[in-house]
C-alpha cells in the first residue's frame, strides 16, 4: 500500500529496547511461575489476559501482541482463559510492572458463545477439546474487573475485536438495547482499537518512561475517558441530525497540483509573449502551511442518553463514525455518557510492508502451548497450515466487522516474507503433508491492491472502494498475487497451494489472468464465494454487487476449469433475514437456487454484530449509507423468531420440515397456485396424507429442531452442479446466466419455466427416469 501520506511519524520498532534488554526470545511466553523462573524472571512487565487458549501462532492475536512487545525488550506473560469467578487466577504471574492487557480473544465473546438466534453454543473452537463455557459473557468487562481486584494500582489496557467494536455507544443484539462504550462499563484506563501494534508500543514505551496512564490522551488508535474536550482541539457540533458537523465531501486531492500547473502555464505564456524579456527571480515568500480541516478537530456526537432514546440520532451517529475511519483524514470523535466524555482519537496509521514483515517474522513456535498436551484446539487445526498475506478490506460489506476493526487500507506483506513462512511451515510444523491450506486473508485477492493516487487515498471517505461500482482510482491488477502463487508453487516440498479465503469475484473478473491462475492451480474441487443474495433490495443494503458479476465470474470459472480438464464447483454463500430483505426477496432467491439445482445444507441468518452498518439498519430501520433525517429511507428488517425462522426455512426449501411454514407464507402472499405443486416450476409440493403422518413417500423424515451450525453453507448431491440453462448476456455480449430478479407479480415464473429445459435432472438432484 502506498504510505507516502499514510505513514506514522516513527517506525513501529524504533523505540529503544526496554531497560536495554537483549534477552533471547522465550520458547513460549510464560503462563506460570515455573516458566518465569526458568527464564530467570522475577516479574512480568506486561501480562496479557485473553479468552482464547494460548497458541503461539501469528493468526492468534495474543501471540502477535505478546511477541511484538517481547521484541521491544518487555517481559510478557499470558493468562489464558482464567477462572473468572475470583481474582486468584489473575494473580498467578504476580503483579505486572507496567500494565495488564485484556482481550476477549480472536472472537467477540458473545458471538463466540451464542448463535444468531441467541441460543447458547456448547462448543468453543478456541478452547482445548472444543469445550464450551471457558470464557464469560462480555469477557472484556469481567476480566478487567478481576484485574482491578487483583492489583488496584495497575493500569488496564483493553483491546481486541470485542473492545474495538464497542468503543462507542452501540446497539447490543443480545440484550436488545444500546449499551455504553465498553471503556466505561469495564472501568478500563485506555482502549486500543483495530490491529493495535502501533498504539500499544507507544503506550508501553511511555509508561516505561514514567508517564502516568492518564497522560496518554492523544495516541492514535485509542479511546479514553475525560471530562471535557482535549485542549487545543476545535470542535464541530453534530448532536442533531440537521447538524452534521459537517461530513465533508471528498476533498479535491489534486488542488495543489492544479494551482502549480496554472502558475507554470502563466509563466510559459509570459515567455512566449516576449522571449527577450528579463526575468527577475524573487526569493519565495514564506507562507505557513495551511491547517488541514481534519487536523486537531473533533466531532461531538449525540450523547449516549440521546442515542438510547432516539433511533434516528443513533443512525446519524453511526453514519458519522463510519465516515471517520480513514487514517489520512479522520477526525476525533467525542460522545458524552452522562458527565463523562468518551474521546476516540483518529485511527492509527497502517503498518508499512517492512513493519508487517517484521511482525510476522517474530519467533512464533506455531503450535499451542505445551501445557495443553495432546488436546485438540479446532481453531488452530484449521489454520496451522495457512498463511495470512495481508490485513484490511476495502469491500465495506455492511454486515461485516472486518473493515471497522482492521480498516480499509490493505496492508500487504512482501513476497519474501510470505515465502519464508511457507518454508518455515514445511520444515518445522508437525504433520505437514505438503499442502498449504490457504494463502489469503480477509479477502483472498486484495493482496497489494491499492489506490493509484496517494492524495485521493489520504482524503477519501467512501465506505467501499468497490460499491456501488469499482472506484476508478483502485488498481485491480492482480499481477503481484499471480507472481506470489507461481513462486510458492515452485518451492521444494510443496505439493499444493489452496485458496480457502473468500474471493471477491467482482474484482477478480477485472483481471482474467488471475481467475485462470486460480482455477488451474489453486482450487481443491470447490471454491467459496459470497454473492449473499440475488435481489437488488438486500444487495444494496449489504453493499454487494449484483448477480451479473457472479455470472461473469461463473462463466470464467467454468471455462478455465474445462480447459484444465477439471471438475470444479463454486460454493456460493447466502445470508437470510438481512435488513432490507422481504419475504418476496427470499422466495426469489430460493427459486434461483432451485433453478440452478442448489441445495443448502446449512444457512446463516443475519447476525447483528456491534458497530456494523447493517446492525444500525436492524436496530433503527434507517439507512446510514445515506444522509439520515427524520423522513429519510426506512429499512425493512426481519425481526422476531418467526420471521427469521421463515427466511432461513425458505433458503432450505428442499427440507420437508420447512414446507408447512413456506406454504403458509405463499398462501398469504397469493402465490400458492404458482409455487405450490408437484411440477418443476413449483417451489414446494402440496400437503399429503403421508407428510401429515410424518412419513414421506420415499422414506421417513423426522422433524429436527436442532439449531443449524454457524456460518457454513454447503451443497449436497452431485447433479446440482450440472450447468443450468442460461440466456442472459454478460457485459462482453456472451450468454452467461440470469441476472434479472424473478418478478413474482408476473403471470409467468421465468426462472421456473427456464428449468423445464433441464431434461436430464430434476430439482432434487436425481436423474429422471
Amino acid at each position: 500500500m502506498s504510505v507516502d501520506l499514510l505513514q506514522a511519524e516513527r517506525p513501529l520498532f524504533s523505540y529503544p529496547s526496554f531497560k536495554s534488554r537483549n534477552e533471547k526470545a522465550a520458547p513460549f511466553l510464560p503462563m506460570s511461575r515455573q516458566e518465569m523462573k526458568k527464564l530467570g524472571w522475577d516479574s512480568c512487565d506486561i501480562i496479557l489476559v485473553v479468552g482464547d487458549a494460548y497458541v503461539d501462532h501469528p493468526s492468534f492475536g495474543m501471540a502477535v501482541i505478546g511477541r511484538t512487545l517481547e521484541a521491544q525488550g518487555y517481559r510478557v506473560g499470558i493468562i489464558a482463559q482464567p477462572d473468572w469467578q475470583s481474582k486468584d487466577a489473575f494473580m498467578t504471574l504476580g503483579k505486572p510492572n507496567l500494565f495488564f492487557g485484556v482481550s476477549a480473544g480472536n472472537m467477540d465473546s458473545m458471538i463466540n458463545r451464542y448463535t444468531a438466534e441467541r441460543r447458547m453454543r456448547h462448543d468453543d473452537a478456541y478452547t482445548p477439546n472444543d469445550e464450551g463455557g471457558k470464557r464469560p459473557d462480555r469477557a472484556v468487562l469481567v476480566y478487567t474487573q478481576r484485574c482491578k481486584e487483583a492489583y488496584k494500582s495497575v493500569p488496564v489496557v483493553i483491546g481486541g475485536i470485542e473492545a474495538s467494536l464497542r468503543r462507542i455507544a452501540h446497539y447490543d443484539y443480545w440484550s436488545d438495547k444500546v449499551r455504553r462504550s465498553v471503556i466505561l462499563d469495564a472501568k478500563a484506563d485506555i482502549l486500543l482499537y483495530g490491529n493495535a501494534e502501533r498504539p500499544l508500543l507507544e503506550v508501553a514505551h511511555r509508561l516505561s518512561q514514567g508517564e502516568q496512564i492518564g497522560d496518554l490522551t492523544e495516541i492514535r488508535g485509542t479511546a479514553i475517558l475525560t471530562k471535557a474536550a482535549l485542549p487545543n482541539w476545535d470542535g464541530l457540533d453534530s448532536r442533531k441530525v440537521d447538524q452534521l458537523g459537517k461530513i465533508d465531501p471528498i476533498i479535491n486531492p489534486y488542488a495543489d497540483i492544479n494551482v502549480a500547473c496554472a502558475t507554470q502555464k502563466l509563466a510559459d505564456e509570459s515567455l512566449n509573449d516576449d522571449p527577450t524579456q528579463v526575468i527577475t527571480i524573487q526569493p519565495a515568500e514564506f507562507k505557513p502551511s495551511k491547517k488541514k480541516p481534519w487536523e486537531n478537530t473533533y466531532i461531538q456526537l449525540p450523547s449516549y442518553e440521546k442515542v438510547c432514546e432516539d433511533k434516528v440520532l443513533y443512525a446519524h451517529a453511526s453514519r458519522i463514525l463510519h465516515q471517520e475511519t480513514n487514517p489520512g483524514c479522520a477526525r476525533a470523535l467525542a460522545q458524552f455518557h452522562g458527565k463523562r466524555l468518551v474521546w476516540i482519537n483518529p485511527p492509527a496509521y497502517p503498518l508499512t510492508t517492512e513493519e508487517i514483515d517484521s511482525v510476522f517474522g517474530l519467533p512464533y513456535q506455531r503450535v499451542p502451548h505445551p501445557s495443553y498436551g495432546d488436546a485438540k484446539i479446532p481453531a488452530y487445526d484449521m489454520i496451522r497450515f495457512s498463511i495470512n498475506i495481508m490485513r484490511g478490506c476495502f469491500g465495506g460489506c455492511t454486515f461485516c466487522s472486518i473493515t471497522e476493526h482492521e480498516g480499509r487500507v490493505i496492508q500487504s506483506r512482501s513476497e519474501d516474507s510470505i515465502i519464508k513462512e511457507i518454508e518455515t511451515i514445511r520444515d518445522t510444523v508437525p504433520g505437514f503433508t505438503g499442502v498449504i491450506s490457504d494463502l489469503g486473508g480477509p479477502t483472498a485477492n486484495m493482496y497489494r491492491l491499492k489506490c493509484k493516487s496517494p492524495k485521493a487515498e489520504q482524503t477519501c471517505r467512501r465506505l467501499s472502494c468497490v460499491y456501488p461500482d469499482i472506484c476508478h482510482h483502485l488498481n485491480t491488477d492482480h499481477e503481484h498475487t499471480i507472481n506470489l502463487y507461481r513462486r510458492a508453487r515452485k518451492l521444494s516440498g510443496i505439493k499444493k497451494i489452496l485458496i480457502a479465503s473468500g474471493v471477491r469475484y467482482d474484482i477478480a473478473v477485472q483481471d482474467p489472468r488471475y481467475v485462470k491462475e486460480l482455477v488451474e492451480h489453486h482450487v481443491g474441487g470447490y471454491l467459496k464465494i459470497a454473492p449473499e443474495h440475488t435481489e437488488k433490495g438486500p444487495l444494496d443494503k449489504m453493499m454487494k454487487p449484483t448477480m451479473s458479476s457472479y455470472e461473469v465470474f461463473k462463466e470464467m470459472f467454468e471455462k478455465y476449469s474445462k480447459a484444465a480438464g477439471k471438475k470444479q464447483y463454486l460454493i456460493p454463500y447466502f445470508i437470510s433475514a438481512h435488513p432490507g430483505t422481504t419475504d418476496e426477496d427470499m422466495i426469489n432467491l430460493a427459486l434461483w437456487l432451485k433453478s440452478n439445482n442448489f441445495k443448502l445444507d446449512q444457512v446463516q441468518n443475519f447476525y447483528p454484530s456491534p458497530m456494523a452498518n447493517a446492525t444500525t439498519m436492524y436496530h433503527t430501520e434507517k439507512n446510514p449509507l445515506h444522509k439520515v433525517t427524520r423522513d429519510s429511507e426506512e429499512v425493512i428488517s426481519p425481526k422476531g423468531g418467526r420471521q427469521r425462522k421463515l427466511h432461513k426455512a425458505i433458503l432450505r426449501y428442499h427440507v420437508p420440515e420447512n414446507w408447512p411454514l413456506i406454504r403458509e407464507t405463499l398462501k398469504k402472499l397469493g402465490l400458492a397456485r404458482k409455487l405450490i405443486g408437484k411440477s418443476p416450476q413449483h417451489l414446494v409440493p402440496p400437503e399429503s396424507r403421508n407428510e401429515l403422518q410424518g412419513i414421506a413417500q420415499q422414506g421417513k423424515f423426522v422433524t429436527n429442531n436442532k439449531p443449524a451450525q454457524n456460518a457454513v453453507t454447503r451443497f449436497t448431491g452431485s447433479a446440482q452442479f450440472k450447468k443450468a440453462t442460461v440466456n442472459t448476456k454478460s457485459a462482453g455480449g456472451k450468454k452467461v446466466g440470469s441476472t434479472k430478479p424473478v418478478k413474482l407479480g408476473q403471470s409467468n415464473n421465468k426462472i421456473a419455466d427456464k428449468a423445464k429445459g433441464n431434461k436430464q435432472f430434476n430439482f432434487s438432484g436425481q436423474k429422471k427416469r
Side-chain angles (χ1 to χ4, degrees):
M1 191 67 196
S2 172
V3 292
D4 293 341
L5 298 176
L6 292 179
Q7 191 163 359
E9 293 181 0
R10 62 184 305 165
L12 181 66
F13 290 111
S14 63
Y15 297 100
S17 179
F18 182 52
K19 293 187 177 179
S20 300
R21 287 185 182 141
N22 293 311
E23 299 174 346
K24 292 183 179 179
F28 287 88
L29 302 178
M31 294 177 62
S32 66
R33 287 279 196 171
Q34 291 76 13
E35 291 175 82
M36 290 172 58
K37 186 176 181 180
K38 288 181 180 179
L39 294 170
W41 299 4
D42 56 354
S43 63
C44 293
D45 300 315
I46 299 160
I47 295 176
L48 304 180
V49 181
V50 293
D52 296 337
Y54 170 33
V55 179
D56 198 46
H57 188 285
S59 290
F60 286 75
M62 87 291 290
V64 172
I65 291 300
R67 291 296 188 182
T68 299
L69 288 166
E70 180 189 55
Q72 284 294 114
Y74 299 101
R75 293 176 173 177
V76 183
I78 288 186
I79 301 176
Q81 298 188 316
D83 178 0
W84 68 88
Q85 303 299 331
S86 73
K87 64 181 180 180
D88 295 345
F90 296 77
M91 304 175 74
T92 54
L93 300 183
K95 181 179 179 180
N97 300 323
L98 295 177
F99 62 87
F100 279 110
V102 169
S103 167
N106 274 22
M107 284 184 68
D108 182 284
S109 62
M110 300 301 286
I111 294 176
N112 177 279
R113 198 151 187 230
Y114 297 92
T115 69
E117 308 313 317
R118 301 188 179 98
R119 296 190 184 101
M120 185 178 290
R121 305 183 198 274
H122 299 289
D123 54 5
D124 185 343
Y126 290 88
T127 301
N129 295 322
D130 203 16
E131 183 180 354
K134 287 295 185 179
R135 76 185 79 209
D137 290 353
R138 311 188 194 285
V140 168
L141 274 64
V142 177
Y143 290 162
T144 302
Q145 180 182 351
R146 293 293 178 260
C147 289
K148 291 288 187 181
E149 290 175 4
Y151 302 104
K152 187 176 181 179
S153 62
V154 175
V156 177
V157 178
I158 59 175
I161 195 163
E162 180 168 308
S164 185
L165 299 184
R166 289 170 166 78
R167 58 187 182 263
I168 199 169
H170 58 280
Y171 172 73
D172 182 77
Y173 173 63
W174 303 272
S175 59
D176 193 24
K177 67 179 184 180
V178 177
R179 291 182 65 96
R180 303 191 303 174
S181 167
V182 69
I183 192 172
L184 271 159
D185 287 344
K187 297 181 174 60
D189 295 283
I190 192 169
L191 180 154
L192 311 186
Y193 65 91
N195 293 117
E197 292 97 341
R198 200 180 296 286
L200 181 68
L201 286 187
E202 183 172 350
V203 167
H205 172 71
R206 291 175 63 175
L207 289 178
S208 68
Q209 295 300 303
E211 291 190 54
Q212 298 300 308
I213 191 72
D215 298 332
L216 312 184
T217 58
E218 297 186 18
I219 299 176
R220 279 179 165 268
T222 67
I224 61 168
L225 287 175
T226 182
K227 293 182 179 178
L230 299 184
N232 302 318
W233 284 69
D234 299 324
L236 298 174
D237 191 351
S238 190
R239 290 175 292 177
K240 298 179 181 178
V241 291
D242 56 352
Q243 290 177 248
L244 282 181
K246 295 266 190 179
I247 295 178
D248 296 328
I250 297 176
I251 298 168
N252 179 5
Y254 303 107
D256 296 339
I257 296 174
N258 292 339
V259 170
C261 291
T263 304
Q264 184 62 47
K265 183 179 179 181
L266 289 173
D268 293 341
E269 289 176 350
S270 65
L271 288 173
N272 291 334
D273 290 341
D274 183 4
T276 62
Q277 178 181 355
V278 177
I279 300 175
T280 303
I281 300 177
Q282 299 288 344
E285 181 182 352
F286 173 77
K287 292 182 179 180
S289 58
K290 186 178 179 181
K291 177 186 174 183
K292 295 181 175 63
W294 55 82
E295 291 179 344
N296 278 54
T297 302
Y298 72 94
I299 300 177
Q300 185 166 350
L301 301 176
S303 68
Y304 162 73
E305 291 76 16
K306 288 292 185 182
V307 298
C308 279
E309 66 186 28
D310 189 333
K311 292 183 177 181
V312 177
L313 281 178
Y314 181 99
H316 164 71
S318 174
R319 173 167 166 74
I320 292 174
L321 181 141
H322 285 85
Q323 292 280 349
E324 301 297 330
T325 57
N326 183 343
C329 63
R331 292 166 287 199
L333 301 176
Q335 184 179 53
F336 271 105
H337 291 56
K339 295 182 179 181
R340 306 195 73 183
L341 187 67
V342 175
W343 179 275
I344 303 174
N345 284 300
Y349 285 112
L351 300 186
T352 64
T353 295
E354 293 74 17
E355 288 171 336
I356 199 169
D357 282 354
S358 297
V359 169
F360 277 86
L362 294 171
Y364 306 98
Q365 296 293 325
R366 308 191 70 87
V367 293
H369 190 274
S371 63
Y372 300 122
D374 296 330
K376 297 292 185 181
I377 301 175
Y380 166 69
D381 291 338
M382 183 184 300
I383 56 85
R384 62 178 176 155
F385 303 134
S386 70
I387 293 177
N388 193 347
I389 64 175
M390 41 77 73
R391 288 178 179 174
C393 180
F394 50 67
C397 300
T398 62
F399 52 81
C400 180
S401 299
I402 291 174
T403 299
E404 281 72 30
H405 182 60
E406 295 194 3
R408 295 181 180 85
V409 179
I410 302 301
Q411 303 165 69
S412 299
R413 298 169 61 187
S414 70
E415 199 174 283
D416 287 343
S417 171
I418 297 165
I419 294 299
K420 183 177 179 180
E421 185 172 355
I422 295 176
E423 293 173 334
T424 299
I425 291 175
R426 178 196 64 191
D427 299 338
T428 64
V429 177
F432 183 63
T433 60
V435 178
I436 296 294
S437 59
D438 187 26
L439 202 62
T443 304
N445 59 319
M446 287 186 183
Y447 177 67
R448 295 189 70 173
L449 298 189
K450 62 182 181 180
C451 188
K452 298 173 186 176
S453 165
K455 284 198 172 185
E457 180 183 51
Q458 182 193 30
T459 58
C460 183
R461 294 181 185 273
R462 279 185 63 155
L463 299 182
S464 170
C465 297
V466 292
Y467 181 89
D469 48 29
I470 296 175
C471 177
H472 66 277
H473 282 304
L474 180 65
N475 177 15
T476 58
D477 186 342
H478 287 59
E479 182 176 3
H480 291 296
T481 311
I482 294 170
N483 291 339
L484 173 64
Y485 289 178
R486 290 174 177 173
R487 184 176 171 188
R489 291 200 306 269
K490 292 179 181 178
L491 289 175
S492 172
I494 301 301
K495 300 175 183 177
K496 186 78 173 178
I497 304 280
L498 296 174
I499 306 302
S501 301
V503 172
R504 185 83 191 201
Y505 53 84
D506 52 341
I507 306 175
V509 298
Q510 302 297 314
D511 193 342
R513 298 175 305 156
Y514 172 76
V515 181
K516 184 176 187 293
E517 192 79 17
L518 176 72
V519 170
E520 289 183 351
H521 301 286
H522 302 286
V523 176
Y526 303 95
L527 179 69
K528 297 185 298 183
I529 56 173
E532 308 297 2
H533 216 285
T534 58
E535 305 306 293
K536 182 174 177 13
L539 286 173
D540 284 347
K541 301 303 182 293
M542 297 174 182
M543 292 177 66
K544 293 287 289 186
T546 63
M547 288 298 286
S548 59
S549 296
Y550 166 82
E551 297 291 358
V552 173
F553 182 80
K554 179 175 180 287
E555 182 192 33
M556 287 186 182
F557 183 87
E558 292 175 346
K559 171 186 172 183
Y560 293 130
S561 292
K562 183 178 180 181
K566 296 183 176 182
K567 291 185 178 180
Q568 300 181 144
Y569 309 107
L570 292 177
I571 304 295
Y573 277 48
F574 297 94
I575 295 179
S576 54
H578 190 279
T581 307
T582 64
D583 295 349
E584 291 88 345
D585 290 330
M586 294 306 302
I587 293 169
N588 280 332
L589 172 52
L591 289 169
W592 183 90
L593 291 169
K594 191 170 187 181
S595 72
N596 285 277
N597 295 333
F598 283 147
K599 289 182 179 180
L600 308 189
D601 271 356
Q602 298 162 347
V603 177
Q604 176 63 54
N605 258 346
F606 167 66
Y607 205 147
S609 59
M611 220 170 82
N613 266 317
T615 302
T616 297
M617 297 180 199
Y618 176 89
H619 171 57
T620 67
E621 298 188 344
K622 287 289 186 180
N623 187 355
L625 305 181
H626 306 292
K627 182 177 179 180
V628 177
T629 63
R630 297 288 172 190
D631 57 355
S632 61
E633 178 188 4
E634 299 288 334
V635 178
I636 297 170
S637 192
K639 294 183 180 180
R642 186 189 181 283
Q643 186 79 353
R644 288 169 64 83
K645 181 180 179 182
L646 168 65
H647 283 207
K648 194 170 184 178
I650 292 173
L651 276 189
R652 303 190 71 217
Y653 64 88
H654 57 283
V655 178
E657 68 190 69
N658 292 329
W659 292 345
L661 186 57
I662 296 173
R663 290 193 198 103
E664 180 185 345
T665 301
L666 294 176
K667 290 174 183 177
K668 286 182 179 179
L669 295 174
L671 299 170
R673 297 186 66 180
K674 285 185 180 181
L675 299 179
I676 299 177
K678 297 182 179 180
S679 299
Q681 70 265 27
H682 294 119
L683 184 61
V684 293
E687 295 93 336
S688 67
R689 183 174 300 175
N690 286 335
E691 181 187 344
L692 295 174
Q693 295 173 353
I695 303 174
Q697 292 180 355
Q698 296 182 356
K700 296 183 179 181
F701 70 84
V702 179
T703 299
N704 184 356
N705 292 321
K706 293 182 180 179
Q709 295 183 31
N710 186 43
V712 179
T713 303
R714 285 202 211 106
F715 302 99
T716 52
S718 57
Q720 70 239 21
F721 295 108
K722 297 290 182 181
K723 187 174 182 180
T725 304
V726 293
N727 61 1
T728 301
K729 292 184 178 181
S730 71
K734 296 183 179 180
K735 292 182 179 181
V736 296
S738 174
T739 62
K740 296 181 180 180
V742 189
K743 302 299 182 184
L744 294 174
Q746 295 178 354
S747 59
N748 296 321
N749 186 331
K750 293 184 178 179
I751 281 191
D753 289 343
K754 182 172 63 178
K756 294 179 183 178
N758 187 349
K759 297 180 180 179
Q760 185 178 5
F761 295 92
N762 62 23
F763 286 118
S764 64
Q766 302 296 323
K767 287 188 177 180
K768 288 187 176 181
R769 297 180 180 177

